[in-house]
Amino acid sequence: MTDLATQPRLDTPPLDVAALREEFPILAREVHGKPLVYLDNAATSQTPRRVMAAFEDYYGRYNANIHRGLHTLSDEATAAFEGTRETVRAFLNAADSREIIFTRGTTEAINLVANAWGRTNLHPGDEVLVSRMEHHSNIVPWQLLASQLGIVIKVIPVDARGVLDLDAYRGLFSERTRLVAVNHVSNAFGTVNPVREMAAIAHAHDALILIDGAQAAPHQAVDVRDIDADFYAFSGHKVYGPTGVGVLYGKAALLEAMPPWQGGGEMIQTVSFETPTTFAAIPHKFEAGTPAIAEVIALGEALRWMEGVGIDAIGAWEGQLLEAATSRLLRIEGLRILGTAPHKASVLSFVVEGAHAQDIGLLIDQLGVAIRTGHHCAQPLLNHFGVDATCRASFAAYNTLEEVEVFGDALERVIGMVR
């Protein structure tokens, strides 16, 4: 697996950014009379034409329900849907496509684990380790179980750079620790966590590890077998794909032992009022009802697009953008960057003395620059650093060094207006 921080610095872009941008029609639009500079990619990345075309192709040529029909359209839809499952398997280097479950996104994937695995295997007094830098979607499900089952949540601390304290992490384990829930990359600070090492530590204590990969999958190659992840989740709309679809990877033995979370069509083998209902084999046991067929097919197109561009090339270019943006922002008086880990993805969070994040976000939009402001669904982390909101710029493969300069200039202009 490759971290952005280990990518070599290149004198020229590792990909043809100008040609790549042509594949994203939204990047040609203007906002408030200014060319759009889209720097909110950690929330949602933009979508290339081939992903959009997948929707038109599905609804225009073979719109039908999957797994349930003998007619041609159903066969074609099923083949495309299951083809994406194989694409995801290869994308994550999972051992078996049965280990790939389609969900509505990372949030639903984590809730699936909490409800199907957690309610079966966790008992009063059992412990779940959760880092302070988690997205709320990897905190709240465990808090709900804590209130209902009496489990204990232990918090992995972070240092002043926004780096997890691995010594403290090791010290949190006890004979009651059952699961570690941690993100691969922080959505708020961009910190790349050493999940392979954390998985090894968890397994040495007979605990499992669930990894929120929503912010890692867009930026670096992910190998779930090399990490030895028990569960790994990511979302389509952060990997240049559609909203409303995501993935849960789980080791086959774990998934087979877990009960279904939701009941309905497709996830059953037999249903009767006289005998107990029996369930389908994995992964279908966890995919109740008609899925987001078009979205799944489009997700496959997005992942194939990423692989065609080159995931390492994407990561290397984003590393250059992050370095340039960091250097540019550090020249602005009164601006403080939060999250200075040595290993970072292309996320830049900052606060400005004497200016509120929301004011900056609203005003910089008037100059055509889209950034994210607020707590980024990471309130425990921001509160730990004494702030309730930050501005966050996040970069993707189609961003340019020229946009970094436009962003820096616009930010200085806005700060001068609000101070």
Side-chain angles (χ1 to χ4, degrees), residues 282-305:
I282 61 170
H284 304 297
K285 177 171 67 172
F286 298 105
E287 295 177 354
T290 299
I293 301 170
E295 285 78 3
V296 167
I297 293 169
L299 171 62
E301 286 298 319
L303 298 182
R304 288 187 285 273
W305 178 86

Side-chain angles (χ1 to χ4, degrees), residues 110-139:
I110 295 171
N111 276 273
L112 191 161
V113 175
N115 284 278
W117 179 87
R119 290 187 182 279
T120 303
N121 293 281
L122 296 177
H123 304 93
D126 285 347
E127 299 166 354
V128 174
L129 307 188
V130 178
S131 88
R132 185 169 293 279
M133 67 173 62
E134 295 310 303
H135 189 281
H136 296 166
S137 62
N138 204 18
I139 298 174

Side-chain angles (χ1 to χ4, degrees), residues 75-354:
D75 285 345
E76 291 176 353
T78 300
F81 185 92
E82 292 300 332
T84 293
R85 200 185 306 274
E86 173 56 25
T87 296
V88 175
R89 183 211 64 76
F91 185 79
L92 296 178
N93 194 33
D96 193 322
S97 62
R98 298 180 306 130
E99 297 177 318
I100 305 302
I101 298 166
F102 292 118
T103 67
R104 290 184 300 159
T106 303
T107 297
E108 184 174 82
I110 295 171
N111 276 273
L112 191 161
V113 175
N115 284 278
W117 179 87
R119 290 187 182 279
T120 303
N121 293 281
L122 296 177
H123 304 93
D126 285 347
E127 299 166 354
V128 174
L129 307 188
V130 178
S131 88
R132 185 169 293 279
M133 67 173 62
E134 295 310 303
H135 189 281
H136 296 166
S137 62
N138 204 18
I139 298 174
V140 177
W142 309 112
Q143 290 179 328
L144 291 172
L145 285 191
S147 67
Q148 296 161 7
L149 302 182
I151 66 171
V152 176
I153 297 174
K154 290 184 174 180
V155 180
I156 308 165
V158 299
D159 66 18
R161 303 168 298 168
V163 175
L164 289 182
D165 186 334
L166 285 185
D167 289 335
Y169 170 66
R170 292 184 182 92
L172 290 174
F173 284 89
S174 77
E175 68 280 356
R176 299 301 302 272
T177 306
R178 299 289 179 260
L179 178 76
V180 175
V182 65
N183 56 39
H184 196 162
V185 172
S186 165
N187 75 300
F189 286 179
T191 305
V192 179
N193 289 318
V195 291
R196 188 173 184 271
E197 182 178 358
M198 296 180 76
I201 295 168
H203 293 152
H205 290 87
D206 296 321
L208 303 182
I209 187 166
L210 177 151
I211 300 171
D212 171 356
Q215 297 296 333
H219 307 299
Q220 62 185 60
V222 175
D223 187 329
V224 292
R225 284 191 280 179
D226 179 65
I227 296 169
D228 201 12
D230 297 296
F231 301 102
Y232 196 99
F234 72 93
S235 298
H237 66 104
K238 300 182 192 296
V239 290
Y240 307 94
T243 58
V245 65
V247 169
L248 173 67
Y249 158 83
K251 290 179 177 176
L254 293 172
L255 295 177
E256 287 169 342
M258 288 160 51
W261 175 34
Q262 297 176 325
E266 189 62 31
M267 49 75 66
I268 57 87
Q269 186 176 58
T270 62
V271 176
S272 170
F273 287 115
E274 289 71 40
T275 58
T277 291
T278 58
F279 303 112
I282 61 170
H284 304 297
K285 177 171 67 172
F286 298 105
E287 295 177 354
T290 299
I293 301 170
E295 285 78 3
V296 167
I297 293 169
L299 171 62
E301 286 298 319
L303 298 182
R304 288 187 285 273
W305 178 86
M306 285 185 65
E307 290 171 341
V309 174
I311 296 173
D312 288 343
I314 290 172
W317 177 234
E318 290 173 342
Q320 291 189 46
L321 293 169
L322 178 63
E323 181 179 347
T326 301
S327 176
R328 179 67 179 87
L329 264 59
L330 287 175
R331 301 203 304 266
I332 299 176
E333 183 180 355
L335 185 147
R336 176 166 63 99
I337 293 173
L338 280 75
T340 56
H343 301 289
K344 283 188 63 172
S346 53
V347 174
L348 196 54
S349 282
F350 59 93
V351 293
V352 177
E353 183 181 354

